[in-house]
Amino acid sequence: MSSPDAHEPLNVLVFSHRAEVREAITMAVGRRPAPDLGRVRYVEAGGMAEVLRAMDGGTIDLAILDGEAQPTGGMGVSRQLKNEIDDCPPIIVTVRRRDDRWLATWSQADAVIVHPLDPLTSAETVADVLRRSRSGELPALRG
């Protein structure tokens, strides 16, 4: 995992089998989630092979995974990545219902954001997770 700073672009993996969900995530987070962080460069993945290839490349600073993705949901993907990748980048899972946030605990995600995605909350969550990752703190589940 690379170390983000305000001058280097951040590589954010966005996974969903649906292009419109990937677009909603990228639009909600934006190109610069906070002034103290670098600009975001999105790496989109529509399937597991793309997710694994991107994560194995070692250049992803953060992954945002669609909890409703098919056939493999983002929560299962999160759990797999957290258990299989040493020094796994932080992961945020999106969920459709606020009541599903508890599932993110099982998935070992670092944070959760709830649809419909609020741009302010989404950007703040991404910025918080990236800052905590940079400082070496384990992010507290939030969202």
Side-chain angles (χ1 to χ4, degrees), residues 9-15 21-34 38-45 54 59-64 92 113 117 119 122-123 126-127 130:
L10 300 162
N11 293 312
V12 175
L13 174 67
V14 176
F15 164 65
V21 172
R22 294 191 307 268
E23 181 179 12
I25 292 168
T26 61
M27 295 298 289
V29 174
R31 290 288 175 192
R32 191 161 196 148
R39 291 183 58 80
V40 171
R41 180 184 313 139
Y42 290 103
V43 177
E44 293 191 26
T59 61
I60 300 299
D61 296 298
L62 170 74
I64 304 175
I92 296 173
I113 49 179
L117 301 175
S122 298
V126 165
L130 286 168

Side-chain angles (χ1 to χ4, degrees), residues 60-77:
I60 300 299
D61 296 298
L62 170 74
I64 304 175
L65 311 176
D66 176 13
E68 306 289 323
Q70 298 293 323
T72 306
M75 290 186 214
V77 174

